[in-house]
Short mmCIF file of all heavy atoms in Angstrom, two decimals:
data_model
loop_
_atom_site.label_atom_id
_atom_site.label_comp_id
_atom_site.label_asym_id
_atom_site.label_seq_id
_atom_site.Cartn_x
_atom_site.Cartn_y
_atom_site.Cartn_z
N LEU M 572 77.96 213.37 34.46
CA LEU M 572 78.56 214.67 34.80
C LEU M 572 80.06 214.68 34.48
O LEU M 572 80.60 215.67 33.99
CB LEU M 572 78.33 214.98 36.28
CG LEU M 572 76.92 215.43 36.68
CD1 LEU M 572 76.80 215.58 38.19
CD2 LEU M 572 76.55 216.73 35.97
N VAL M 573 80.70 213.55 34.77
CA VAL M 573 82.13 213.43 34.48
C VAL M 573 82.36 213.49 32.97
O VAL M 573 83.27 214.16 32.48
CB VAL M 573 82.70 212.13 35.07
CG1 VAL M 573 84.15 211.94 34.62
CG2 VAL M 573 82.63 212.16 36.59
N ILE M 574 81.50 212.78 32.21
CA ILE M 574 81.61 212.79 30.75
C ILE M 574 81.37 214.20 30.20
O ILE M 574 82.06 214.65 29.29
CB ILE M 574 80.63 211.78 30.13
CG1 ILE M 574 81.04 210.35 30.52
CG2 ILE M 574 80.58 211.91 28.61
CD1 ILE M 574 80.07 209.28 30.11
N LEU M 575 80.39 214.89 30.78
CA LEU M 575 80.11 216.27 30.37
C LEU M 575 81.31 217.17 30.66
O LEU M 575 81.60 218.10 29.90
CB LEU M 575 78.87 216.79 31.10
CG LEU M 575 78.47 218.25 30.82
CD1 LEU M 575 78.12 218.43 29.34
CD2 LEU M 575 77.29 218.66 31.69
N SER M 576 82.01 216.88 31.74
CA SER M 576 83.17 217.71 32.11
C SER M 576 84.28 217.63 31.07
O SER M 576 85.12 218.54 30.99
CB SER M 576 83.71 217.28 33.48
OG SER M 576 84.33 216.01 33.41
N THR M 577 84.31 216.55 30.27
CA THR M 577 85.34 216.45 29.23
C THR M 577 85.15 217.53 28.16
O THR M 577 86.13 217.96 27.54
CB THR M 577 85.32 215.05 28.58
OG1 THR M 577 84.05 214.81 27.97
CG2 THR M 577 85.59 213.96 29.61
N PHE M 578 83.89 217.93 27.92
CA PHE M 578 83.65 219.03 26.98
C PHE M 578 84.10 220.35 27.58
O PHE M 578 84.68 221.19 26.88
CB PHE M 578 82.17 219.09 26.61
CG PHE M 578 81.82 220.29 25.77
CD1 PHE M 578 82.20 220.37 24.44
CD2 PHE M 578 81.12 221.36 26.33
CE1 PHE M 578 81.90 221.48 23.67
CE2 PHE M 578 80.80 222.47 25.57
CZ PHE M 578 81.19 222.52 24.23
N ILE M 579 83.84 220.54 28.87
CA ILE M 579 84.30 221.76 29.54
C ILE M 579 85.82 221.82 29.51
O ILE M 579 86.42 222.89 29.29
CB ILE M 579 83.78 221.79 31.00
CG1 ILE M 579 82.24 221.79 31.01
CG2 ILE M 579 84.33 223.01 31.76
CD1 ILE M 579 81.63 221.66 32.38
N TYR M 580 86.46 220.68 29.72
CA TYR M 580 87.91 220.58 29.64
C TYR M 580 88.39 221.01 28.26
O TYR M 580 89.37 221.75 28.13
CB TYR M 580 88.33 219.14 29.94
CG TYR M 580 89.82 218.87 29.86
CD1 TYR M 580 90.58 218.82 31.02
CD2 TYR M 580 90.46 218.65 28.64
CE1 TYR M 580 91.96 218.56 30.96
CE2 TYR M 580 91.81 218.40 28.57
CZ TYR M 580 92.56 218.35 29.74
OH TYR M 580 93.92 218.10 29.67
N LEU M 581 87.69 220.55 27.22
CA LEU M 581 88.06 220.91 25.85
C LEU M 581 87.98 222.42 25.63
O LEU M 581 88.88 223.01 25.02
CB LEU M 581 87.15 220.18 24.86
CG LEU M 581 87.36 220.52 23.37
CD1 LEU M 581 88.77 220.11 22.93
CD2 LEU M 581 86.31 219.82 22.51
N CYS M 582 86.93 223.03 26.14
CA CYS M 582 86.77 224.48 25.98
C CYS M 582 87.92 225.24 26.64
O CYS M 582 88.49 226.18 26.06
CB CYS M 582 85.45 224.94 26.60
SG CYS M 582 83.98 224.35 25.73
N ILE M 583 88.29 224.81 27.85
CA ILE M 583 89.39 225.48 28.56
C ILE M 583 90.72 225.25 27.84
O ILE M 583 91.54 226.16 27.69
CB ILE M 583 89.48 224.96 30.02
CG1 ILE M 583 88.17 225.26 30.76
CG2 ILE M 583 90.66 225.58 30.74
CD1 ILE M 583 88.09 224.65 32.15
N ALA M 584 90.92 224.00 27.36
CA ALA M 584 92.16 223.68 26.66
C ALA M 584 92.29 224.48 25.37
O ALA M 584 93.37 224.98 25.04
CB ALA M 584 92.21 222.18 26.36
N VAL M 585 91.17 224.62 24.65
CA VAL M 585 91.17 225.40 23.41
C VAL M 585 91.49 226.86 23.69
O VAL M 585 92.28 227.49 22.97
CB VAL M 585 89.80 225.27 22.70
CG1 VAL M 585 89.62 226.35 21.64
CG2 VAL M 585 89.66 223.89 22.07
N LYS M 586 90.91 227.39 24.75
CA LYS M 586 91.16 228.80 25.10
C LYS M 586 92.64 229.04 25.38
O LYS M 586 93.23 230.02 24.91
CB LYS M 586 90.33 229.19 26.32
CG LYS M 586 90.54 230.65 26.75
CD LYS M 586 89.83 230.95 28.05
CE LYS M 586 90.00 232.42 28.41
NZ LYS M 586 91.45 232.81 28.56
N LYS M 587 93.24 228.13 26.15
CA LYS M 587 94.64 228.33 26.55
C LYS M 587 95.61 228.02 25.42
O LYS M 587 96.60 228.74 25.23
CB LYS M 587 94.95 227.46 27.77
CG LYS M 587 94.21 227.91 29.03
CD LYS M 587 94.63 227.09 30.23
CE LYS M 587 93.94 227.60 31.50
NZ LYS M 587 94.35 226.81 32.69
N PHE M 588 95.34 226.96 24.67
CA PHE M 588 96.28 226.55 23.62
C PHE M 588 96.22 227.48 22.42
O PHE M 588 97.26 227.85 21.85
CB PHE M 588 95.97 225.11 23.20
CG PHE M 588 96.93 224.56 22.17
CD1 PHE M 588 98.20 224.18 22.53
CD2 PHE M 588 96.54 224.43 20.84
CE1 PHE M 588 99.09 223.67 21.59
CE2 PHE M 588 97.43 223.93 19.89
CZ PHE M 588 98.70 223.55 20.26
N TYR M 589 95.00 227.86 22.02
CA TYR M 589 94.84 228.69 20.82
C TYR M 589 94.73 230.18 21.14
O TYR M 589 94.58 231.00 20.22
CB TYR M 589 93.61 228.24 20.04
CG TYR M 589 93.76 226.86 19.43
CD1 TYR M 589 93.11 225.76 19.98
CD2 TYR M 589 94.57 226.64 18.32
CE1 TYR M 589 93.24 224.49 19.43
CE2 TYR M 589 94.71 225.38 17.76
CZ TYR M 589 94.04 224.31 18.32
OH TYR M 589 94.19 223.05 17.77
N ASP M 590 94.76 230.50 22.44
CA ASP M 590 94.73 231.90 22.88
C ASP M 590 93.51 232.64 22.32
O ASP M 590 93.64 233.72 21.72
CB ASP M 590 96.03 232.61 22.46
CG ASP M 590 96.21 233.93 23.18
OD1 ASP M 590 95.64 234.09 24.27
OD2 ASP M 590 96.90 234.81 22.63
N HIS M 591 92.35 232.04 22.54
CA HIS M 591 91.07 232.63 22.12
C HIS M 591 90.29 233.12 23.34
O HIS M 591 90.61 232.75 24.48
CB HIS M 591 90.23 231.61 21.36
CG HIS M 591 90.56 231.53 19.90
ND1 HIS M 591 91.79 231.82 19.38
CD2 HIS M 591 89.79 231.19 18.82
CE1 HIS M 591 91.80 231.66 18.08
NE2 HIS M 591 90.58 231.28 17.70
N GLY M 592 89.26 233.92 23.08
CA GLY M 592 88.37 234.34 24.14
C GLY M 592 87.43 233.19 24.53
O GLY M 592 87.31 232.19 23.82
N TRP M 593 86.73 233.36 25.65
CA TRP M 593 85.85 232.30 26.14
C TRP M 593 84.73 231.97 25.16
O TRP M 593 84.45 230.79 24.92
CB TRP M 593 85.26 232.70 27.50
CG TRP M 593 86.21 232.54 28.64
CD1 TRP M 593 86.81 233.54 29.36
CD2 TRP M 593 86.69 231.32 29.18
NE1 TRP M 593 87.63 233.02 30.32
CE2 TRP M 593 87.57 231.65 30.25
CE3 TRP M 593 86.46 229.98 28.90
CZ2 TRP M 593 88.22 230.69 31.01
CZ3 TRP M 593 87.11 229.01 29.66
CH2 TRP M 593 87.98 229.35 30.69
N LEU M 594 84.08 233.00 24.63
CA LEU M 594 82.95 232.77 23.74
C LEU M 594 83.38 232.05 22.47
O LEU M 594 82.76 231.05 22.05
CB LEU M 594 82.27 234.10 23.38
CG LEU M 594 81.04 233.99 22.45
CD1 LEU M 594 79.97 233.11 23.09
CD2 LEU M 594 80.49 235.38 22.11
#
Side-chain angles (χ1 to χ4, degrees):
L572 285 175
V573 173
I574 294 173
L575 178 62
S576 70
T577 61
F578 173 72
I579 299 173
Y580 179 100
L581 177 63
C582 293
I583 299 173
V585 164
K586 180 187 183 301
K587 292 184 177 180
F588 183 75
Y589 293 105
D590 194 24
H591 275 28
W593 282 109
L594 181 59

